[in-house]
Every structure is written in C-alpha cells, then in structure tokens.
Amino acid sequence: MDYLKGLNEAQYEAVTTLEGPLMVLAGAGSGKTRVLTMRIAHLITNLVDPFHILALTFTNKAAKEMKERIAKVVGQSEARSLWMGTFHSVFARILRSEAHYLGYPSNFTIYDSQDSLNVLKKVLKDSNIDADLYKPKKVMARISNYKNNLITVKAYLANPELIENDERANMKHMGLIYQKYVDACYRNGAMDFDDLLLRTNELLTRFPEVLAKYQDRFRYILVDEYQDTNHSQYLIVKALASKFENICVVGDDAQSIYSFRGANIHNILNFKKDYPDAVTVSLEQNYRSTQNIVNAANVVISKNVQQFKKNVFSDNEEGDKIKVYRSLSDADEANFVASNIWELHNTQQRKFTDFAILYRTNSQTRAFEDSLRRKNIPYRVYGGLSFYQRKEVKDLVAYLRLLINENDGEALSRIINYPARGIGETTQNKLIVFADSQNVSITTVLGNLGMYAPLLGLNNGILTKLADFWAMIKAFQVMLKTENAYTVAMEVAKRTGLIKFLKDDQTPEGISRLENVQELMNSMQGFIEEQQQLEDGDPSLSNFLENIALSADTQNDKKEEGDQVSLMTIHLSKGLEFPVVHLVGLEENLFPSFMSSSTREELEEERRLFYVALTRAEKQAFFSYAVSRFQWGKITDAEPSRFLSEMDTAHLEFINPAIESRFVNHSGLKSSIFDDEPASPRFFKKKEEKKTIQRNEPLPTAQNLKPVATARIINPSGASSEDIEVGDQVRHDRFGVGEVLFLDGTDPQNIKAKVKFQHEGEKNLILKFAKLTKI
DNA sequence: GTTCGCAGCGTTTTT
DNA sequence: CGCTGCGAAC
C-alpha cells in the first residue's frame, strides 16, 4: 500500500474512512484529486468490487484525468468496470437502458443548448407571443431553472406562487410555453441537458425497483466538486446513497462558481444536516502555491460572508509578490502578457506549458491570440466555440442523428433542405401544419407519402423531391445495419452533396469548413478504433453521437499537446494548476461581470471565481487591467476591479509606476491621452497595432521574415503546422507529397506557400489551413 | 425558392 | 464588433 505513504494526516483520514458518509472540505491545492484517486484505489484494495463504485465529476476533463490516475495505481483492468464520469454522461447511460419506463425510446437524442434553443424558438413562434417580452434565452433560463429544481410542468401549473412570480415578471405565458417545449422535446424523442437529470429523478422516484437496482449497484459513491451540484443532482445522489450511505463528497465552498446553472452552495453547507453521522475532514494545507499567493487569496475570499471558516496555508517558499500591470488598452495588456511570457521563457527557462492566461469571458481571447502570434509563442485556446458546435459539423451530425432517431424534428428541419434541394420554407411549413392537423409526426408523413400526397396540396415536383429525400435517409438507415458508422457517415457526406457543397466554396473560410468536416470524420474513425480496442467498447454511431453531445471538448483533445501556453476562462481552469498565471482583465464590469454586480450573492460568486483564478498559480501570478478596452465595437473606459482594492498591498507589487503616477494625478482623463487622434475606433485600433509592433519588434525585414515563416503556425482551432521552410518535402492530406517552392507573407495568419506536388502540380496554399506535414 | 444585404441586437461562465 | 434574423430583390 505504498500509495498511502506521503499522505498527510487529514488526507490519510479522508482516504481510509471508507464506510459511512464523509465530507472532505478541500481547500485549493490541498491534494483533492489525489485524495479521491487514492480513496478509490483504497476501496479496490479493500476488496470492494469496482463494479460497485460510482464516481461523479463535473467535467469530462476531470473524469478522464482521474481515470488515468486510478489506472496507474490499481491497473487498467480493475479501473475499467468502475463508473466514473460527469453527472450528465453517467445518467444518460442509465436513462438509455431504462428509457422504456419513461415512455422514451432508448435511442433518444441529447440536445445541446443550441438545439434546445432552436426548439424553443419554434415554440415561441408558434405561440404568437410577444417576442420582446419572451426572449428565447431568458425563457430558456427560466425553464432550466424549473427543471433543475424538479418543477415539472404539472408541478408548475399546480403552484400558484410560481405562476404569480412569472406574472409579476410579465411572463404569464410561461406555463404554456414550458408545456409546449417539453412536449416538443418529447415528440422529438429528445432530452436536453436538464432532462438528463430531471428524468433520472423521475425514474428513481416513480420506479422503486429501478431505484433499488442502482442503490444496490452503487454501494460506494464519490462526488467531486460537490459545492457545484444543483438541486436535481443533489436529489439523485441522495436517493442513490440512501441505502448504504457510503457517500463521500469532496468540495470547497470557496470554489463554488456555477450557481448560474443552478449550483446550490447549500448542498455542501448542509451536508451535516443530511447526514448527521457524517465525518468531516478538512484539507487545509496547500501544496500547490507559494505562501504569498495563498495568503493573498485568503485575504480576498475572507470578504465573503457565506462560507465555512477554513485556514488554508502553505509551507512552500514565500515566493514573489503578485505583479500588477496597468495597461492602456486591451491590446497593450495582451502585449504585456506576451512579452512577459517570452521573457520568463528565456530568462527562467520556463516551458510555454508553464503559463496560463485566465480571463472572465471568452471574448477576451482574441487580443491575446494576436499578441502571442506576433511573437511566435505557441498557444492553445481551450473552450470557446466547441468544434461540435460549428455549423458545418452540426449539419453532418444532424443527418447522423436523424438516422438514429428519425423523430428528431430539430435534426430534420436542419438538413431537410441542406444542401438546398428545393424543399423550402413554404413546403416545410405545409408539412408541419399538415402533420399537426393529422396528429402525426412529420416523419410519419414522409414515410407514407403515397398515402398522404393527395391531401398535402403540393405539386408533383416537390412530392418527388420529398420522396427522394426520405428514400435517401432510409437507404442510409439500411446501410447502418451492415456497415460501420464511419462508412455510413462518409456515404452521407457524399450522397447528400454536403462535401460537394463545401468544396465549391474556395474561400479560406470555406476550406476551413471542409476541413472541419474531415476532422469530424477523423475523430469518428479514431473513436471507432478506440472503442474496438476496448473489451466493452461500443463503436456504434449512437454511442459516438452521445459522446459528442456530452462533450464540450474542442476538436483536438487527442492531438499532440506540444509546448503551448494555455488560454482559458477561469471557469475552465478549475481543478488545474500552472507555475505562472496571468489573470487579466481585472476591471469593474468585466470582472466582476456587469451581469453579476447587483446582489451580494452574485458578487460573492465572482469573488470565489477570483479566488479560483489566483489559486491556480504555483509560483508566480500576474494581474493586469486596462484603463480602456475595445469592446462592443467601441472603446470603453474601465476602472480597476474592486478585487484589486480588496487585496492587501503587502502581497502586491505594481510594476509600472511611471504610468501609474501619470494617471493617478488625473482622475478620469484616461481617454485624453488620445486627444490627438481621430475619434474613430478604427483609427484607434490601427494606431495601437502599429505602436505595439514598433515598440516590441523590429520592423519586418528580409531577415525577420524567416522566423515568422518557419514558426509553428497555430490556427484558431488549435491545430498546428510543422515548421515549414522553402525546399522542404511535405505531405498534404489530399494532394499528396510535394516540395515547397516559395513562402510568402509576414502575417502569420496569412502565409502562403507554393508547393509543387508530384501528381497534382503546383498549388498555392494558405499555410494556416493546409495542414502540411514535413517529411 | 434562394440569395444577399442590412439593421438591430447582445454580449458571463458550461454539462 | 460579430452574429442572427428579417426583408427585398433576383
């Protein structure tokens, strides 16, 4: 049991207290993941069958990481039968096998937020409701809120208080809309994210035999990030654990940052009330960060009223003070960060992977991408628009979804006329109205066109098109019975004309779209191969679809992780650690967000977010903020974040005193430094860029071209080309092998390469998109 | 039925 | 600014 060695007293207790309810309050950096991992290992060593263990996490990333670490301790085969995953994926799996209880098909589709929103928009349109009062996103948030609190349509309609509440918000039709939305999803054979939890609750409450079955299976339950569970998740855990009560929850109330999606901090605050016999273990020693960082973070989080008292401390070196940089603009800030990374990379021999840039909102990425790219610093952006949310990818996926679940009206409407095949809006509307009037689904109408044709009022040309379309879908379905998912998907991409449609668009964006589709095919192939290697793998199309529905992963998770700077939102950074952290955009109305500055609760959550961000840092932290920022298409003045003033200056060091004093004396003059400039934002931007280039880099000369052209080019999706130089032999996905004749361009985004291919002749390629491999 | 262009809008965080 | 949705013209 060497794995028990090296645990401190509290960790040891948390790992070895196997029976009964246990709450582990794990301060930031206190070895939480280690404890969870060791605990599972210890369970298995103590002859608990992994089959009886359920471990729930919040992100796929966390689940994956933990699985790997457990496999290292107990071995691959032992780890396999353990159930570990996100709430959503674990319960989606259970729902699939028990769907018949709920009147759902087991092949139900899982809708992501975008799908749900589309369905809701249709509902709103149908209902002839004032679109200004009922903004889809707002309505969706309310519905989501109901669901997460287990308020079904029925419960809603029976609750005058809720109805009154919505009436007061000027939304008296919420009940009706809610009903219609739920009906639509049901008709489509689909569940949204919230349904996965709500329906699980329904399953466990309405069918005691099902509950008993899973209670018996999951005798040992572990929940990571318990502070972020919502009510729905809380009830599921509670129900499952109520037989054996071997439940271990791990969390840190100071790191609860998901209340916007229903997380209820009281779940962890009240754990003792739910399980009076619970053992509580506090992990307070932070092994991750320097004393200075830990202490600085403690000062800020102590401003929160709502929290357990903890004493997180570090025995590490005291460490550097946190350096605070005040910048003139977002571009200036990005430039500072990039220069700083470059410098530390050179002077302290830090790898690029040692650095993280953390921000509040995804829209802040761009400026940093620009500066990093200019300095040829490799980076990777996490999060943002997921690969699977791109339109071209979703379109192909919609076809595949339709093959699995032909009732999926959302998928159908997405592709019935894409690529255009003459089935326009008018025809679709007729179909919908007719199907409604006959009280059947559109699928039924399409499947029995012969019978319905005379009643539809459509001309023969259109009817033929509809028949052809449906015959094609049916043919794919037949094919799916004998061929593997990849082959069918390829056939779909070709036969529907999707590939041709994309190929016709030779703009860089068009090429990139085609490549994304190819990438989808690749990832599918990868998935199939991976599943085939697994003993209990499932290479089916439906399994593939489920996996992508529940993963917000960007495309290149499997791709090589080179030496790259990480860029991500603070939310995404939870659970991670980096030697050097740049926390940027520390401005009022940005962080804390203007959306979350009205109530104390909201502000406390922002403060916890700040705490999370700072405690990601191991050795060094840098803060920065800009006095003016280019956003919403114009320049906005900004004040430093209140979190900065909440800190103890003993932990800080202001690193640009010159600029500081210049500004301190003239409050509110920030914009006046640009008085000699035209007011147009465009000019402003230009000037900024020019300035930064001059200040930090020599002008592009022939000498400087080479490093740019030979650098790793990172495109926005994160894929990278190898270092390409003139004379290199390269391989291209489609054109095969060739020689690079010529490189052209200084803008790393737009370097063109002339390549002579053995068979295809000379081509001009944009390096960023071409994905050339050096051979 | 399709395409293009413009206006208006929102803009936090994720399974 | 960038996206969506809508209306007008082909």
Side-chain angles (χ1 to χ4, degrees):
Chain A
M1 297 200 200
D2 352 325
Y3 58 84
L4 291 179
K5 280 182 202 148
L7 295 175
N8 69 29
E9 206 175 309
Q11 289 173 333
Y12 184 88
E13 191 185 356
V15 168
T16 55
T17 308
L18 297 183
E19 306 285 323
L22 171 72
M23 172 163 68
V24 180
L25 293 175
S30 62
K32 182 194 65 162
T33 310
R34 186 145 175 249
V35 163
L36 267 175
T37 314
M38 295 309 161
R39 186 180 163 83
I40 293 174
H42 197 58
L43 280 167
I44 296 175
T45 317
N46 280 270
L47 302 179
V48 173
D49 187 338
F51 179 84
H52 287 308
I53 303 174
L54 171 67
L56 295 167
T57 62
F58 266 78
T59 60
N60 297 300
K61 213 193 271 169
K64 206 178 124 195
E65 192 192 326
M66 216 181 294
K67 227 178 220 164
E68 281 164 10
R69 284 170 70 163
I70 290 171
K72 270 189 199 145
V73 184
V74 300
Q76 199 58 257
S77 54
E78 286 287 322
R80 194 168 296 150
S81 55
L82 172 83
W83 259 24
M84 162 136 55
T86 63
F87 273 89
H88 290 84
S89 69
V90 165
F91 295 115
R93 227 168 113 187
I94 290 182
L95 283 169
R96 282 220 193 277
S97 52
E98 316 293 347
H100 56 278
Y101 281 102
L102 302 170
Y104 260 89
S106 69
N107 63 356
F108 64 83
T109 306
I110 297 170
Y111 280 168
D112 66 21
S113 332
Q114 217 179 91
D115 300 321
S116 325
L117 207 61
N118 287 343
V119 172
L120 180 67
K121 278 179 189 165
K122 269 177 212 148
V123 166
L124 289 170
K125 221 171 199 175
D126 283 353
S127 313
N128 283 325
I129 281 171
D130 185 349
D132 280 341
L133 283 174
Y134 293 84
K135 304 261 192 228
K137 277 191 187 155
K138 220 168 152 187
V139 175
M140 198 71 229
R142 285 182 112 83
I143 292 180
S144 178
N145 200 24
Y146 301 148
K147 288 190 176 177
N148 286 330
N149 286 295
L150 250 62
I151 303 165
T152 58
V153 174
K154 220 170 156 187
Y156 176 88
L157 296 174
N159 189 329
E161 208 174 308
L162 287 169
I163 295 173
E164 201 180 305
N165 194 26
D166 277 336
E167 275 171 5
R168 244 179 286 127
N170 237 337
M171 300 177 90
K172 62 177 176 185
H173 300 301
M174 273 308 298
L176 178 76
I177 296 168
Y178 187 19
Q179 171 98 64
K180 281 191 168 182
Y181 171 75
V182 170
D183 287 349
C185 289
Y186 185 75
R187 260 203 318 276
N188 287 349
M191 296 201 196
D192 64 19
F193 284 143
D194 302 324
D195 282 331
L196 294 176
L197 306 174
L198 176 67
R199 298 286 183 186
T200 301
N201 267 301
E202 186 187 345
L203 184 71
L204 298 179
T205 357
R206 274 180 53 200
F207 306 97
E209 70 272 29
V210 179
L211 175 62
K213 175 176 156 190
Y214 288 102
Q215 278 178 336
D216 197 51
R217 158 131 202 199
F218 301 129
R219 299 182 186 184
Y220 293 86
I221 300 174
L222 299 94
V223 187
D224 191 12
E225 310 282 13
Y226 191 66
Q227 76 282 358
D228 283 328
T229 47
N230 63 33
H231 189 60
S232 198
Q233 291 164 322
Y234 162 81
L235 289 175
I236 293 172
V237 170
K238 198 169 178 204
L240 287 177
S242 66
K243 185 169 175 194
F244 292 100
E245 293 210 340
N246 292 324
I247 173 168
C248 165
V249 303
V250 181
D252 179 4
D253 56 301
Q255 295 184 63
S256 168
I257 55 175
Y258 281 106
S259 74
F260 70 91
R261 75 173 209 227
N264 187 348
I265 194 168
H266 295 289
N267 292 343
I268 193 163
L269 298 175
N270 291 338
F271 189 78
K272 267 273 181 192
K273 281 183 195 144
D274 287 330
Y275 304 93
D277 301 336
V279 175
T280 306
V281 176
S282 290
L283 306 180
E284 297 186 323
Q285 179 164 4
N286 176 313
Y287 294 96
R288 176 187 296 151
S289 314
T290 62
Q291 288 187 25
N292 191 63
I293 289 170
V294 170
N295 295 339
N298 282 344
V299 171
V300 176
I301 199 66
S302 72
K303 313 275 186 218
N304 273 5
V305 177
Q306 232 181 29
Q307 60 172 326
F308 286 128
K309 284 282 165 257
K310 269 195 306 290
N311 175 30
V312 179
F313 65 98
S314 166
D315 269 352
N316 296 344
E317 56 180 335
E318 193 186 339
D320 294 346
K321 291 188 175 181
I322 299 165
K323 301 204 171 65
V324 184
Y325 180 79
R326 169 177 201 147
S327 61
L328 301 182
S329 67
D330 46 349
D332 183 24
E333 176 184 47
N335 220 53
F336 158 71
V337 172
S339 307
N340 198 37
I341 290 176
W342 183 243
E343 201 180 312
L344 294 178
H345 172 75
N346 291 337
T347 58
Q348 300 184 5
Q349 276 77 46
R350 289 225 175 265
K351 291 176 292 181
F352 287 124
T353 37
D354 288 351
F355 297 94
I357 303 174
L358 305 181
Y359 35 78
R360 183 60 178 62
T361 69
N362 275 310
S363 60
Q364 287 166 261
T365 12
R366 176 162 300 201
F368 295 98
E369 286 195 71
D370 285 348
S371 317
L372 291 168
R373 216 178 284 133
R374 261 205 295 273
K375 291 196 158 41
N376 289 322
I377 297 174
Y379 63 89
R380 172 168 171 190
V381 179
Y382 291 78
L385 188 63
S386 149
F387 174 68
Y388 296 109
Q389 283 167 24
R390 285 159 201 262
K391 184 185 176 301
E392 62 275 17
V393 175
K394 280 216 96 171
D395 288 334
L396 179 51
V397 167
Y399 274 103
L400 303 177
R401 266 166 44 181
L402 194 61
L403 300 189
I404 299 293
N405 170 13
E406 58 181 37
N407 289 317
D408 186 348
E410 172 55 26
L412 177 68
S413 72
R414 211 183 158 98
I415 49 89
I416 190 168
N417 197 34
Y418 180 84
R421 53 173 72 86
I423 307 175
E425 208 180 332
T426 326
T427 309
Q428 290 181 45
N429 281 336
K430 273 188 190 165
L431 276 174
I432 293 170
V433 171
F434 177 77
D436 276 357
S437 73
Q438 302 289 308
N439 209 16
V440 294
S441 72
I442 298 180
T443 311
T444 314
V445 179
L446 287 174
N448 299 282
L449 260 189
M451 183 172 109
Y452 290 114
L455 308 166
L456 272 167
L458 293 167
N459 67 42
N460 280 334
I462 299 269
L463 284 172
T464 313
K465 284 174 186 160
L466 286 174
D468 287 351
F469 168 73
W470 199 243
M472 181 174 73
I473 298 293
K474 281 288 159 189
F476 293 145
Q477 284 180 339
V478 171
M479 196 178 166
L480 196 57
K481 290 190 180 138
T482 52
E483 305 293 330
N484 80 19
Y486 179 83
T487 315
V488 175
M490 200 43 130
E491 187 67 10
V492 169
K494 282 186 195 148
R495 281 261 315 267
T496 58
L498 208 69
I499 291 208
K500 188 179 174 306
F501 182 83
L502 291 170
K503 265 192 184 154
D504 285 347
D505 182 358
Q506 278 298 316
T507 61
E509 295 80 20
I511 294 172
S512 153
R513 274 194 286 270
L514 182 62
E515 287 186 351
N516 284 335
V517 169
Q518 273 167 353
E519 186 57 38
L520 174 67
M521 299 301 302
N522 290 344
S523 80
M524 199 158 163
Q525 179 128 52
F527 177 82
I528 293 172
E529 280 166 14
E530 197 181 302
Q531 291 293 314
Q532 280 167 345
Q533 285 164 20
L534 293 175
E535 213 176 286
D536 51 350
D538 173 7
S540 70
L541 179 59
S542 40
N543 195 30
F544 176 74
L545 291 178
E546 172 160 331
N547 265 275
I548 63 176
L550 293 173
S551 88
D553 285 353
T554 34
Q555 59 173 323
N556 43 3
D557 238 30
K558 282 163 232 127
K559 287 205 184 135
E560 33 85 56
E561 314 245 326
D563 185 23
Q564 304 177 0
V565 175
S566 299
L567 278 73
M568 65 185 84
T569 62
I570 301 168
H571 281 88
L572 266 182
S573 76
K574 191 158 80 157
L576 305 178
E577 54 190 21
F578 301 91
V580 185
V581 165
H582 284 89
L583 177 56
V584 302
L586 280 169
E587 293 138 42
E588 280 298 294
N589 296 324
L590 182 61
F591 189 20
S593 159
F594 62 97
M595 298 292 288
S596 311
S597 306
S598 48
T599 68
R600 199 200 76 215
E601 280 78 14
E602 284 174 341
L603 266 169
E604 293 210 343
E605 175 144 327
E606 294 284 310
R607 196 173 282 116
R608 291 192 292 267
L609 205 47
F610 180 88
Y611 179 77
V612 167
L614 179 51
T615 53
R616 297 311 94 198
E618 295 170 1
K619 305 282 185 212
Q620 285 172 281
F622 292 85
F623 290 164
S624 56
Y625 61 96
V627 292
S628 77
R629 182 169 287 277
F630 197 78
Q631 60 180 359
W632 297 303
K634 56 176 195 271
I635 300 163
T636 327
D637 287 348
E639 296 290 325
S641 168
R642 71 188 69 193
F643 298 142
L644 281 172
S645 48
E646 287 176 4
M647 301 200 67
D648 185 336
T649 47
H651 301 128
L652 303 178
E653 179 187 341
F654 296 88
I655 56 175
N656 47 348
I659 295 179
E660 192 70 15
S661 62
R662 231 179 96 197
F663 280 86
V664 160
N665 296 333
H666 315 271
S667 59
L669 102 171
K670 295 140 218 148
S671 55
S672 67
I673 40 163
F674 297 113
D675 272 351
D676 56 340
E677 288 300 313
S680 154
R682 190 159 296 167
F683 276 99
F684 180 84
K685 261 256 148 161
K686 271 233 173 81
K687 161 97 179 174
E688 273 296 301
E689 271 173 22
K690 208 166 123 204
K691 192 174 70 188
T692 50
I693 287 173
Q694 282 174 348
R695 200 171 53 195
N696 293 296
E697 267 184 343
L699 283 169
T701 63
Q703 219 183 355
N704 288 320
L705 283 182
K706 205 175 156 213
V708 176
T710 57
R712 297 165 66 83
I713 307 300
I714 313 287
N715 76 20
S717 60
S720 65
S721 310
E722 300 297 316
D723 308 347
I724 305 282
E725 290 181 59
V726 172
D728 283 347
Q729 292 290 314
V730 293
R731 188 191 309 279
H732 183 272
D733 277 358
R734 266 176 297 147
F735 302 138
V737 175
E739 185 190 344
V740 180
L741 300 179
F742 190 66
L743 285 171
D744 180 30
T746 49
D747 175 5
Q749 273 299 282
N750 199 24
I751 295 172
K752 297 192 182 80
K754 184 172 244 175
V755 182
K756 186 175 182 188
F757 290 99
Q758 285 170 1
H759 303 291
E760 306 279 341
E762 286 181 15
K763 305 260 181 204
N764 285 311
L765 302 168
I766 299 171
L767 219 49
K768 189 177 100 174
F769 295 106
K771 286 190 187 149
L772 294 173
T773 332
K774 201 161 145 179
I775 51 175

Tab-separated table of all heavy atoms in Angstrom, chain A residues 25 253 269 282 284 301-312:
chain	number	residue	atom	x	y	z
A	25	LEU	N	-13.647	18.675	3.003
A	25	LEU	CA	-13.542	20.080	2.613
A	25	LEU	C	-12.120	20.327	2.184
A	25	LEU	O	-11.208	20.373	3.008
A	25	LEU	CB	-13.911	20.986	3.790
A	25	LEU	CG	-15.367	20.903	4.214
A	25	LEU	CD1	-15.611	21.729	5.455
A	25	LEU	CD2	-16.273	21.367	3.081
A	253	ASP	N	-16.353	25.058	-0.542
A	253	ASP	CA	-17.391	26.066	-0.717
A	253	ASP	C	-16.829	27.350	-1.303
A	253	ASP	O	-17.522	28.090	-1.977
A	253	ASP	CB	-18.076	26.344	0.621
A	253	ASP	CG	-17.079	26.770	1.679
A	253	ASP	OD1	-16.153	25.995	1.964
A	253	ASP	OD2	-17.217	27.883	2.213
A	269	LEU	N	-23.035	23.107	2.266
A	269	LEU	CA	-23.129	23.722	3.590
A	269	LEU	C	-24.039	22.909	4.517
A	269	LEU	O	-23.876	22.917	5.728
A	269	LEU	CB	-23.636	25.167	3.473
A	269	LEU	CG	-22.739	26.137	2.679
A	269	LEU	CD1	-23.382	27.501	2.522
A	269	LEU	CD2	-21.377	26.289	3.342
A	282	SER	N	-11.068	18.218	6.946
A	282	SER	CA	-10.657	19.442	6.254
A	282	SER	C	-9.225	19.311	5.779
A	282	SER	O	-8.327	19.011	6.561
A	282	SER	CB	-10.767	20.648	7.188
A	282	SER	OG	-12.112	20.938	7.429
A	284	GLU	N	-6.379	21.463	4.665
A	284	GLU	CA	-6.086	22.899	4.698
A	284	GLU	C	-4.702	23.263	4.208
A	284	GLU	O	-4.421	24.413	3.960
A	284	GLU	CB	-6.296	23.426	6.125
A	284	GLU	CG	-7.751	23.283	6.562
A	284	GLU	CD	-8.028	23.920	7.904
A	284	GLU	OE1	-7.140	23.839	8.778
A	284	GLU	OE2	-9.120	24.475	8.081
A	301	ILE	N	-10.917	36.184	-0.274
A	301	ILE	CA	-12.076	35.315	-0.070
A	301	ILE	C	-12.705	35.562	1.307
A	301	ILE	O	-13.891	35.319	1.516
A	301	ILE	CB	-11.687	33.827	-0.255
A	301	ILE	CG1	-12.944	32.965	-0.519
A	301	ILE	CG2	-10.936	33.274	0.932
A	301	ILE	CD1	-13.636	33.279	-1.827
A	302	SER	N	-11.908	36.101	2.223
A	302	SER	CA	-12.456	36.348	3.560
A	302	SER	C	-13.513	37.444	3.549
A	302	SER	O	-14.247	37.621	4.515
A	302	SER	CB	-11.325	36.718	4.525
A	302	SER	OG	-10.852	38.007	4.233
A	303	LYS	N	-13.605	38.189	2.455
A	303	LYS	CA	-14.640	39.217	2.355
A	303	LYS	C	-16.019	38.598	2.147
A	303	LYS	O	-17.023	39.299	2.229
A	303	LYS	CB	-14.359	40.163	1.181
A	303	LYS	CG	-12.951	40.659	1.090
A	303	LYS	CD	-12.729	41.884	1.971
A	303	LYS	CE	-11.348	42.445	1.746
A	303	LYS	NZ	-10.681	42.949	2.918
A	304	ASN	N	-16.039	37.328	1.806
A	304	ASN	CA	-17.342	36.682	1.618
A	304	ASN	C	-17.973	36.350	2.963
A	304	ASN	O	-17.307	35.859	3.871
A	304	ASN	CB	-17.182	35.405	0.788
A	304	ASN	CG	-17.248	35.673	-0.691
A	304	ASN	OD1	-17.325	36.832	-1.103
A	304	ASN	ND2	-17.233	34.618	-1.484
A	305	VAL	N	-19.274	36.611	3.065
A	305	VAL	CA	-19.986	36.328	4.300
A	305	VAL	C	-20.295	34.841	4.408
A	305	VAL	O	-20.158	34.226	5.461
A	305	VAL	CB	-21.308	37.135	4.332
A	305	VAL	CG1	-22.103	36.810	5.582
A	305	VAL	CG2	-21.020	38.613	4.230
A	306	GLN	N	-20.684	34.299	3.233
A	306	GLN	CA	-21.190	32.942	3.223
A	306	GLN	C	-20.063	31.936	3.048
A	306	GLN	O	-19.585	31.722	1.935
A	306	GLN	CB	-22.126	32.806	2.027
A	306	GLN	CG	-23.463	32.252	2.377
A	306	GLN	CD	-24.303	32.133	1.124
A	306	GLN	OE1	-23.809	31.954	0.029
A	306	GLN	NE2	-25.608	32.214	1.310
A	307	GLN	N	-19.599	31.336	4.095
A	307	GLN	CA	-18.548	30.328	3.906
A	307	GLN	C	-18.232	29.592	5.211
A	307	GLN	O	-18.526	30.060	6.300
A	307	GLN	CB	-17.277	31.010	3.400
A	307	GLN	CG	-16.748	32.062	4.361
A	307	GLN	CD	-15.396	32.581	3.933
A	307	GLN	OE1	-14.594	31.853	3.380
A	307	GLN	NE2	-15.149	33.849	4.210
A	308	PHE	N	-17.637	28.431	5.017
A	308	PHE	CA	-17.060	27.738	6.158
A	308	PHE	C	-15.772	28.454	6.525
A	308	PHE	O	-15.056	28.945	5.653
A	308	PHE	CB	-16.665	26.299	5.784
A	308	PHE	CG	-17.815	25.364	5.642
A	308	PHE	CD1	-17.958	24.600	4.487
A	308	PHE	CD2	-18.756	25.215	6.658
A	308	PHE	CE1	-19.005	23.712	4.353
A	308	PHE	CE2	-19.810	24.324	6.520
A	308	PHE	CZ	-19.932	23.582	5.366
A	309	LYS	N	-15.463	28.469	7.796
A	309	LYS	CA	-14.169	29.046	8.157
A	309	LYS	C	-13.102	27.990	7.935
A	309	LYS	O	-13.214	26.862	8.399
A	309	LYS	CB	-14.178	29.492	9.618
A	309	LYS	CG	-14.955	30.791	9.816
A	309	LYS	CD	-14.118	32.007	9.389
A	309	LYS	CE	-14.952	33.279	9.225
A	309	LYS	NZ	-15.240	33.652	7.854
A	310	LYS	N	-12.132	28.355	7.200
A	310	LYS	CA	-11.033	27.434	6.929
A	310	LYS	C	-9.742	28.187	7.119
A	310	LYS	O	-9.709	29.398	7.051
A	310	LYS	CB	-11.097	26.946	5.472
A	310	LYS	CG	-11.889	25.684	5.272
A	310	LYS	CD	-11.609	25.090	3.913
A	310	LYS	CE	-11.814	26.008	2.746
A	310	LYS	NZ	-13.188	26.341	2.459
A	311	ASN	N	-8.705	27.443	7.299
A	311	ASN	CA	-7.411	28.087	7.405
A	311	ASN	C	-6.461	27.440	6.406
A	311	ASN	O	-5.696	26.549	6.733
A	311	ASN	CB	-6.869	27.947	8.840
A	311	ASN	CG	-5.473	28.497	8.961
A	311	ASN	OD1	-5.117	29.425	8.245
A	311	ASN	ND2	-4.671	27.901	9.821
A	312	VAL	N	-6.562	27.873	5.182
A	312	VAL	CA	-5.688	27.311	4.169
A	312	VAL	C	-4.323	27.973	4.292
A	312	VAL	O	-4.222	29.188	4.385
A	312	VAL	CB	-6.272	27.557	2.757
A	312	VAL	CG1	-5.344	26.984	1.696
A	312	VAL	CG2	-7.649	26.918	2.645
